């Protein structure tokens, strides 16, 4: 909008060039260009850029509008530029962001409007149930133990296995449990692609007996949602053959299971049994971006360890020591994680706490003191504001102990419990150097918090052993407290030392740290929404 006019006799002929920056790199590479639109200062470009989106990475973009000259091939005027992170566009209201263009001294360069939308990429999930009737008897002393194997057909005519049902023991008329499968796994998003289904008799030694097979497609299966689908698999179907479907209100004929090997041997062979599709339903799988576009806000809270085991902040051996040339490990971790999360928080105000220190003037020990010294409003303006308050607290409080997590977890959980409709989701970042002193209380707090819209990230700095953190992480064994199990896995722990790069490339190291600690947040948010059956709010058109 309102671009600079660089042409003498007409308006500019603008084109926009998109540049991307690699993770941890300062180099810009051209990604693509829009079409040129003649003679306008308010162009609406049609060409779209398709980018891979990663919540856990800072994906920097640069947009350079240029004025193209039709008469002079290759000559282009610089009309300004805009820098933005992809997360900022997605995190903005309705995925729409307007930015001023800058870069031409002394001139207003206008603005650029960016719109982001997620490509659907076949996000449907299918739930279906099948049964069979009068299958061939394969076992000498009993009936068959049947199971089904589903295959997706590939472009080259081969088949890839995509699902196996459970085995139903000792019956020729099995009813299998309903199962769920993504549509892309079943047919790669191609509704007419052949889906082949083999029927086997299970054997303990793994040499399962082939009973027969039939073929269908996603489109035919999906008709079972609204009307009967009838498959007639005649004698000529053979291996992977597909019968002619019929639809109607009459009870369905059942898809016949043919064994081509047996068909060749017996002249009177009709089939090896029938299979019936009992139910078929489809629902859309919502994504992280659906919720963000629907208005879900990520609220970021920071808690920093001020215990004495960190060492005196004024000493170079201290984990809180910041030289004129390098930030402390605490500041680096805070910056790496915070700069990504802040793109999804509209007010950019972050509550920040310290724990394990003696506070002036009376030396009282606190495990959730506001870094900005404001009990009524512990929020800091942006990540820079959090860093400023953190450095100020280091100068005024006395590092002490013990290392208690539970108070600050309960503080954030209390806030999260106030709004549980899916419009708010809280992320607590705890940065610590040591062994937890209140392990039992912390486990209890996390188990309680697991039912709330929140996640916890723990970054361990320094050389300590962090076995207790691994237990809290709950990746191997679900966390429990006093007989109660965590409803969801909401904790992600990483040791800072694993990301210290020998080459000294701090930017790349911190990008890797942020990527690993944030990678689980989208899934954790989705798991909360799913367990509460919260659907994304529809963004306004």
């Amino acid at each position: 909008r309102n671009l600079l006019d660089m042409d003498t006799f007409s308006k500019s002929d603008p084109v926009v060039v998109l540049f991307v920056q690699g993770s941890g790199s300062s180099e810009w590479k051209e990604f693509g260009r829009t079409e040129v639109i003649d003679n306008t200062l308010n162009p609406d470009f049609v060409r779209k850029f398709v980018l891979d989106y990663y919540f856990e990475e800072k994906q920097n973009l640069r947009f350079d509008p240029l004025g193209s000259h039709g008469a002079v091939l290759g000559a282009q005027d610089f009309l300004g530029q805009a820098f933005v992170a992809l997360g900022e566009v997605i995190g903005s209201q309705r995925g729409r962001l307007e930015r001023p263009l800058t870069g031409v001294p002394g001139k207003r360069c206008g603005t650029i409007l960016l719109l982001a939308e997620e490509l659907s990429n076949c996000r449907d999930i299918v739930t279906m149930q099948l049964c069979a009737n009068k299958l061939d008897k394969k076992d000498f002393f009993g009936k068959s133990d049947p199971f089904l194997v589903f295959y997706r057909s590939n472009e080259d005519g081969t088949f890839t296995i995509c699902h196996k049902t459970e085995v139903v023991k000792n019956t020729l008329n099995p009813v299998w449990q309903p199962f769920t499968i993504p549509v892309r796994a079943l047919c790669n998003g191609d509704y007419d692609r052949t889906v082949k289904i083999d029927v086997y008799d299970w054997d303990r030694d793994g040499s399962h007996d082939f009973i027969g097979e039939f073929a269908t497609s996603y489109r035919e299966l999906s008709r079972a949602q609204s009307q009967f689908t009838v498959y007639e698999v005649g004698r000529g179907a053979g291996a992977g053959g597909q019968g002619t479907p019929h639809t109607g209100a009459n009870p369905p004929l059942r898809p016949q299971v043919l064994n081509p090997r047996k068909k060749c041997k017996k002249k009177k062979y009709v089939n090896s049994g029938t299979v019936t599709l009992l139910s078929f339903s489809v629902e859309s799988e919502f994504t992280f971006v659906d919720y963000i576009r629907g208005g879900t806000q990520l609220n970021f809270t920071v808690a920093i360890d001020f215990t004495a085991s960190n060492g005196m902040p004024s000493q170079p051996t201290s984990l809180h020591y910041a030289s004129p040339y390098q930030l402390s490990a605490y500041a680096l971790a805070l910056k790496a994680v915070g700069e990504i999360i802040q793109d999804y928080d509209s007010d950019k105000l972050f509550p920040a706490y310290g724990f394990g220190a003696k506070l002036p003037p009376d030396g009282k020990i606190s495990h959730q003191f506001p870094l900005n010294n404001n009990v009524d409003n512990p929020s800091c303006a942006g990540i820079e504001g959090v860093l400023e308050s953190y450095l100020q607290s280091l100068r005024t409080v006395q590092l002490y102990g013990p290392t208690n997590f539970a108070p600050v977890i309960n503080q954030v959980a209390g806030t999260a419990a106030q709004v549980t409709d899916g419009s708010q989701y809280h992320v607590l970042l705890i940065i610590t150097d040591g062994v937890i002193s209140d392990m039992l209380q912390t486990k209890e707090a996390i188990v309680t918090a697991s039912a709330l819209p929140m996640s916890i990230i723990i970054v361990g700095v320094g050389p300590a052993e962090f076995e207790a953190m691994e237990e809290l992480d709950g990746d191997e064994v679900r966390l429990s407290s006093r007989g109660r199990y965590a409803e969801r896995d909401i904790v992600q722990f990483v040791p800072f030392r694993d990301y210290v790069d020998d080459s000294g490339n701090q930017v790349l190291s911190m990008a890797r740290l942020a990527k690993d600690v944030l990678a689980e947040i989208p899934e954790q948010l989705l798991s909360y929404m799913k367990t509460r059956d919260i659907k994304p709010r529809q963004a306004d058109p």
Side-chain angles (χ1 to χ4, degrees):
R1 292 290 175 267
N2 304 315
L3 291 174
L4 281 173
D5 191 0
M6 306 296 273
D7 287 6
T8 310
F9 300 109
S10 65
K11 297 185 174 71
S12 295
D13 303 330
V15 60
V16 174
V17 186
L18 168 61
F19 294 87
V20 297
Q21 202 174 46
S23 182
S25 166
S26 58
E27 184 186 350
W28 290 100
K29 291 182 178 175
E30 182 176 329
F31 183 85
R33 296 177 176 228
T34 65
E35 72 278 15
V36 176
I37 299 183
D38 294 338
N39 198 30
T40 179
L41 303 181
N42 296 286
D44 286 328
F45 296 103
V46 174
R47 186 167 299 160
K48 296 178 173 69
F49 300 112
V50 179
L51 295 150
D52 290 327
Y53 161 66
Y54 303 98
F55 165 75
E56 65 273 16
E57 292 182 17
K58 189 82 172 173
Q59 295 176 268
N60 292 320
L61 310 176
R62 188 183 99 206
F63 295 88
D64 289 11
L66 303 174
S68 178
H69 295 289
V72 186
L73 195 64
Q76 291 172 321
D77 294 318
F78 178 70
L79 302 180
Q81 59 187 186
F83 296 88
V84 65
L86 180 56
E88 286 181 86
V89 190
I90 289 170
S92 57
Q93 196 171 11
R94 303 194 307 276
R96 182 183 184 279
L97 183 69
E98 186 168 1
R99 270 288 161 87
L101 293 163
T102 59
V104 181
K107 295 198 175 180
R108 288 187 176 176
C109 302
T111 62
I112 186 167
L113 280 84
L114 306 167
L115 285 91
E117 62 180 5
E118 187 176 24
L119 298 179
S120 65
N121 196 22
C122 197
R123 291 188 264 145
D124 290 346
I125 300 281
V126 166
T127 302
M128 64 175 109
Q129 185 178 20
L130 299 101
C131 71
N133 188 246
K134 296 182 180 176
L135 293 177
D136 280 353
K137 180 175 176 297
K138 290 290 182 181
D139 291 349
F140 193 70
F141 292 110
K143 300 186 173 85
S144 295
D145 305 319
F147 67 96
L148 301 177
V149 183
F150 286 70
Y151 299 89
R152 175 182 72 241
S153 63
N154 303 317
E155 299 288 348
D156 60 0
T158 60
F159 287 91
T160 300
I161 187 168
C162 58
H163 181 74
K164 275 184 190 174
T165 66
E166 79 282 10
V167 176
V168 182
K169 291 290 187 74
N170 199 31
T171 178
L172 302 179
N173 303 295
V175 179
W176 290 281
Q177 290 294 317
F179 68 90
T180 299
I181 184 170
V183 170
R184 61 180 177 273
L186 189 65
C187 64
N188 212 22
D190 178 354
Y191 291 176
D192 296 304
R193 186 172 294 209
T194 299
V195 176
K196 185 164 81 78
I197 303 166
D198 286 354
V199 188
Y200 283 95
D201 168 41
W202 177 85
D203 282 334
R204 190 182 300 279
D205 63 4
S207 60
H208 311 308
D209 297 316
F210 181 71
I211 294 176
E213 64 185 11
F214 63 98
T216 181
S217 69
Y218 171 84
R219 194 180 299 280
E220 286 179 15
L221 288 167
S222 67
R223 288 180 184 138
Q225 292 177 94
S226 55
Q227 57 189 5
F228 293 130
T229 302
V230 180
Y231 293 97
E232 286 182 355
V233 185
R235 280 180 158 223
Q242 193 162 328
T244 309
H246 300 275
T247 56
N250 297 321
L253 295 175
R254 292 170 171 180
Q256 296 177 358
V257 182
L258 297 185
N259 185 333
R261 301 161 211 174
K262 191 168 178 179
K263 188 179 78 171
C264 296
K265 291 179 185 175
K266 293 190 176 181
K267 287 182 180 179
K268 291 183 180 179
Y269 173 76
V270 178
N271 62 48
S272 295
T274 60
V275 168
T276 304
L277 181 61
L278 292 175
S279 63
F280 186 95
S281 60
V282 186
E283 63 179 33
S284 256
E285 183 183 38
F286 296 116
T287 68
F288 175 73
V289 174
D290 289 331
Y291 288 97
I292 297 299
R293 277 178 64 86
T296 297
Q297 288 286 305
L298 296 190
N299 298 307
F300 183 46
T301 303
V302 180
I304 294 176
D305 186 332
F306 280 78
T307 56
S309 52
N310 284 284
M312 285 289 289
S314 57
Q315 300 298 315
T317 52
S318 170
L319 295 167
H320 282 298
Y321 179 74
S323 76
Y325 314 105
Q326 187 171 335
L327 294 170
S328 69
Y330 279 87
L332 282 171
L334 167 61
K335 217 166 144 56
V337 176
E339 283 184 347
I340 290 174
I341 285 192
Q342 70 178 352
D343 291 341
Y344 303 89
D345 190 322
S346 59
D347 63 11
K348 306 285 188 280
L349 295 174
F350 308 121
Y353 298 93
F355 58 90
K358 281 186 173 180
L359 308 187
D362 54 3
K364 186 181 174 188
I365 298 170
S366 174
H367 295 291
Q368 54 184 100
F369 62 91
L371 295 185
N372 66 1
N373 209 25
N374 184 341
V375 177
D376 296 326
N377 182 13
S379 295
C380 304
I383 297 304
E384 291 307 318
V386 177
L387 282 167
E388 207 175 293
S389 297
Y390 155 64
L391 295 172
Q392 181 60 32
S393 289
L394 281 176
R395 292 191 282 272
T396 56
V397 306
Q398 180 191 344
L399 272 59
Y400 202 69
T403 306
N404 289 358
F405 283 8
V408 76
I409 292 173
N410 288 329
Q411 169 87 20
V412 176
T415 308
Q418 292 171 18
V419 182
T420 58
D421 63 358
S423 62
Q424 308 284 327
Y425 193 87
H426 296 260
V427 179
L428 169 62
L429 170 65
I430 300 174
I431 313 176
T432 181
D433 83 315
V435 180
I436 304 175
S437 309
D438 65 338
M439 188 64 175
L440 292 177
Q441 292 90 332
T442 294
K443 285 165 75 170
E444 180 73 11
I446 291 172
V447 168
T448 300
S450 70
L452 296 169
M454 71 177 280
S455 292
I456 301 168
I457 295 167
I458 304 172
V459 177
V461 297
E465 293 301 320
F466 293 111
E467 289 98 336
M469 308 295 181
E470 300 288 0
E471 183 184 348
L472 296 180
D473 196 321
D475 280 346
E476 302 297 326
V477 180
R478 180 66 60 92
L479 189 70
S480 64
S481 171
R482 297 193 297 183
R484 279 196 312 147
Y485 280 87
E487 194 175 299
R488 304 177 296 125
D489 173 17
I490 63 166
V491 179
Q492 172 73 347
F493 166 74
V494 296
F496 184 86
R497 58 176 174 252
D498 287 0
Y499 299 88
V500 179
D501 197 317
D502 294 336
S503 67
N505 187 338
Q506 202 176 82
V507 176
L508 189 59
S509 302
M510 292 307 97
R512 283 175 47 237
L513 171 78
K515 185 174 178 176
D516 282 4
V517 295
L518 292 172
E520 291 187 13
I521 298 291
E523 278 304 318
Q524 289 174 358
L525 180 145
L526 288 173
S527 72
Y528 173 78
M529 302 297 186
K530 204 166 186 179
T531 55
R532 297 295 181 278
D533 197 27
I534 297 171
K535 306 225 173 352
R537 294 177 183 181
Q538 290 302 308
D540 296 331

